Amino acid sequence: MAHRPERSSSDLEKAPSAIHNEKHINDYALATKETALRVWSADSLFLFWCMFVAFLCSCANGYDGSLMTAINAMPYYQSKFNSGYLGSSTGIIFSIYTIGGVVGPWFAGPLSDRFGRRGGMFAGALMICVGTAVIASANKRGQFIAGRFVLGFGVSILTTAAPSYCVEICPPQWRGRMTGFYNCGWFGGSIPAAGITLGTAKMKSDLSWRLPLIFQAFPSLVVILAVWFLPESPRWLMANGRDEDALNFLARFHGGGNRNDPVVQLEWAEFKEGIALDGSDKRWWDYSELFNSGSARYRSLQVLLMGVFGQFSGNGLGYFNTEIYRAVGYGDDMVFNLNLANSFTSAFGAGWGVALADRMPRRKVLVAGTFASAVMLAGNGGLSARWAATPEDSKNLNVGRGSVAFFFLFNIVYSFTYTPLQALYPVECLQTTTRAKGMAMYAFVVGAISFINLFAGPIALDNIKHNYIFIFVGWDIVESILWYLLGVETVGRTLEELEEIFGSPSPVATSKAIYDEHKKIRAAAAAAAK
């Protein structure tokens, strides 16, 4: 068995950071260039299967978003629960899901630390199957609301464990695309949900809304059946004293079966330097490492920024797509078609972002993408206001179409900007021993902001109509400024290398300088290759 000195978390605080200068950047570039890892090898394909199982964890969340939008517009659902299309009753049914999402993370972090990332995914998927059984069989509003709570609880466990698993098993040169792909599972859930509800909406019975609810359990069922056949995260293995298993994982999946592969050697050296055996992940109650140093506080700040901005940039309007389409003149059949089309176009934006995730600077994308989102929402809100101000006998359908077009463009821009980074950015900003609890904190913030979106959203749309959109226009501009001032660049670094950035007096300036230096070296290498 591979041995290493017993290094405590306090030792790691005192250890000097590795000097990440031009030589180190060259070492990383050379390692990723000379590695024996091949995309279409059997081991790489199995690693992609691991990512797909994690992707299914994200599908569960996306399915719910599109599902509730659609069944809320179904007459048999409304007849059964009399919740109304907008207002406080709808807000309670929608938002109780996020209450489960606020409670669940406090169990999710310790579960994922104690039983591994696979254990967290299994527990979350099991809870979703239980929630599905409760909600799909409901005949009373109380049972339906209880099922929504259980679903939210389970999803919060999945969305803590699965992204941690993704980022920890990825080779460093593939991290952006593979972890970004995980969060595209939102569309892997929302598109089938929109398609299923489009078909069942024509049924003249309660099956119109019960069948889509039953299908919600399918991704989680696959996770339950598959997850224990996957390898555990090498970083979790090493943090729990299983060094030999961790090295075997790196050799097989990051080095093409070779322990001496340059990428494996680079990662292994950083593992030994940066992963503590007595970190707070061994104490279920201890969240202090998220805030006990300047580096930890700045890492946590990035997590909190993404947690708030990723949920409160106007994307919460997507839960009420059908009512937004109705507000500018579209009928019942068309709103279901538009709901499905919006899922496809948003998925295109997200896929485009994932494809570029290992090359695009995170910070610039967040600044520019958030500002562009504000512009698109301004167009949607302005045309919606014009439609509302026009008398019924004088309305111009092109105004309503233009409003919907801007809403589609907003969702494409938002998905390009945030969907790949919502899972990737927080997990790569956190250290191994704080990752599960940090993602639990992230899930708690996401749940709290989502509760505001889902409870206040229908009430606001009912009372102030399209003017609600302008709140997000102004807030997105504020977000863009804050990303510029506080956002840290993380692209092109291994997870352990990021300590140099977060441990510096000015993480933003340091991250920009390292990114610029890295870009110059890559350009020089490309020129030399010609």
Side-chain angles (χ1 to χ4, degrees):
M1 179 173 179
H3 295 282
R4 63 187 168 114
E6 294 277 330
R7 294 177 64 84
S8 69
S9 54
S10 59
D11 291 334
L12 295 177
E13 287 288 327
K14 296 172 186 175
S17 297
I19 302 172
H20 296 282
N21 53 16
E22 182 174 330
K23 179 182 181 302
H24 196 97
I25 295 172
N26 272 321
D27 288 345
Y28 174 79
L30 188 63
T32 55
K33 183 178 179 180
E34 294 185 352
T35 180
L37 182 63
R38 296 294 176 262
V39 173
W40 300 114
S41 69
D43 287 334
S44 291
L45 292 175
F46 186 73
L47 193 63
F48 298 154
W49 165 247
C50 297
M51 295 299 301
F52 180 73
V53 174
F55 170 87
L56 292 176
C57 296
S58 184
C59 290
N61 203 16
Y63 190 97
D64 186 83
S66 189
L67 168 76
M68 288 306 298
T69 298
I71 69 170
N72 192 55
M74 293 181 178
Y76 281 90
Y77 167 82
Q78 288 292 339
S79 174
K80 176 68 70 174
F81 299 112
N82 192 31
S83 64
Y85 294 106
L86 294 172
S88 59
S89 294
T90 299
I92 290 170
I93 289 176
F94 275 55
S95 63
I96 195 66
Y97 178 84
T98 65
I99 298 297
V102 168
V103 176
W106 304 110
F107 299 87
L111 266 174
S112 299
D113 282 336
R114 174 66 180 85
F115 299 105
R117 312 317 190 203
R118 297 178 304 168
M121 289 191 285
F122 178 84
L126 188 62
M127 290 293 294
I128 287 173
C129 289
V130 171
T132 298
V134 173
I135 198 170
S137 61
N139 286 303
K140 302 291 184 180
R141 185 187 297 183
Q143 182 179 339
F144 194 90
I145 290 173
R148 294 279 297 156
F149 175 86
V150 175
L151 285 170
F153 190 99
V155 164
S156 71
I157 298 175
L158 280 182
T159 54
T160 296
S164 298
Y165 181 75
C166 288
V167 80
E168 290 177 359
I169 68 171
C170 293
Q173 66 271 34
W174 297 351
R175 186 178 76 227
R177 283 163 292 176
M178 290 182 72
T179 309
F181 172 74
Y182 157 79
N183 211 45
C184 287
W186 174 274
F187 301 106
S190 69
I191 291 173
I196 290 167
T197 52
L198 178 63
T200 63
K202 297 178 174 61
M203 292 182 173
K204 305 299 183 184
S205 70
D206 283 349
L207 285 176
S208 61
W209 59 269
R210 289 193 194 274
L211 278 178
L213 289 170
I214 292 169
F215 286 126
Q216 188 166 14
F218 178 75
S220 295
L221 185 60
V222 176
V223 173
I224 288 170
L225 295 174
V227 72
W228 294 115
F229 296 97
L230 308 182
E232 185 53 87
S233 153
R235 288 174 171 86
W236 183 86
L237 291 171
M238 191 160 189
N240 286 272
R242 295 169 59 183
D243 295 28
E244 189 70 17
D245 292 335
L247 183 56
N248 287 339
F249 179 100
L250 292 180
R252 179 182 175 186
F253 294 109
H254 293 191
N258 179 14
R259 286 190 173 202
N260 294 316
D261 185 90
V263 168
V264 173
Q265 290 299 306
L266 179 67
E267 288 189 283
W268 187 245
E270 291 173 347
F271 275 28
K272 290 189 288 185
E273 177 72 21
I275 297 178
L277 288 174
D278 69 341
S280 63
D281 55 324
K282 313 305 184 300
R283 301 180 293 276
W284 65 267
W285 45 266
D286 188 0
Y287 284 76
S288 63
E289 278 193 55
L290 291 171
F291 306 103
N292 65 1
S293 67
S295 170
R297 287 188 289 273
Y298 217 93
R299 287 174 181 271
S300 294
L301 174 63
Q302 306 308 299
V303 174
L304 293 172
L305 289 176
M306 183 57 77
V308 175
F309 297 173
Q311 297 301 312
F312 209 61
S313 296
N315 51 306
L317 295 167
Y319 267 89
F320 313 103
N321 282 346
T322 54
E323 297 314 305
I324 289 172
Y325 303 145
R326 277 198 179 99
V328 289
Y330 287 96
D332 287 345
D333 288 340
M334 195 60 185
V335 298
F336 285 103
N337 290 325
L338 287 170
N339 189 44
L340 179 59
N342 181 60
S343 293
F344 275 110
T345 55
S346 298
F348 169 77
W352 186 20
V354 167
L356 300 173
D358 284 312
R359 288 180 284 171
M360 290 191 306
R362 320 263 198 254
R363 185 173 172 278
K364 289 182 179 178
V365 168
L366 288 167
V367 172
T370 305
F371 184 80
S373 295
V375 173
M376 298 306 162
L377 283 177
N380 171 245
L383 289 174
S384 295
R386 183 175 174 184
W387 174 274
T390 305
E392 286 296 325
D393 58 353
S394 305
K395 288 189 184 297
N396 182 352
L397 288 178
N398 288 329
V399 173
R401 290 168 185 154
S403 173
V404 170
F406 269 111
F407 189 63
F408 269 56
L409 288 171
F410 159 74
N411 281 292
I412 292 170
V413 171
Y414 171 86
S415 298
F416 175 86
T417 303
Y418 279 98
T419 299
L421 296 183
Q422 279 178 306
L424 172 61
Y425 194 70
V427 289
E428 68 182 3
C429 286
L430 292 162
Q431 291 179 303
T432 297
T433 53
T434 60
R435 189 163 289 125
K437 287 175 181 168
M439 288 306 293
M441 176 180 71
Y442 174 75
F444 173 82
V445 172
V446 166
I449 299 300
S450 296
F451 175 79
I452 296 171
N453 275 330
L454 298 184
F455 185 73
I459 297 172
L461 287 169
D462 195 31
N463 289 306
I464 61 175
K465 313 298 182 189
H466 56 272
N467 293 309
Y468 184 50
I469 296 168
F470 292 110
I471 294 174
F472 294 107
V473 174
W475 178 243
D476 282 359
I477 293 172
V478 173
E479 287 182 0
S480 186
I481 294 169
L482 290 175
W483 276 128
Y484 180 81
L485 295 174
L486 302 173
V488 169
E489 185 55 68
T490 59
V491 73
R493 319 303 298 158
T494 68
L495 297 178
E496 286 70 30
E497 285 174 345
L498 290 172
E499 178 55 30
E500 179 195 3
I501 291 173
F502 287 108
S504 70
S506 177
V508 176
T510 302
S511 71
K512 289 166 62 180
I514 290 177
Y515 172 75
D516 291 340
E517 185 180 10
H518 198 186
K519 188 166 65 172
K520 289 176 185 176
I521 291 170
R522 283 187 300 170
K530 293 180 181 178

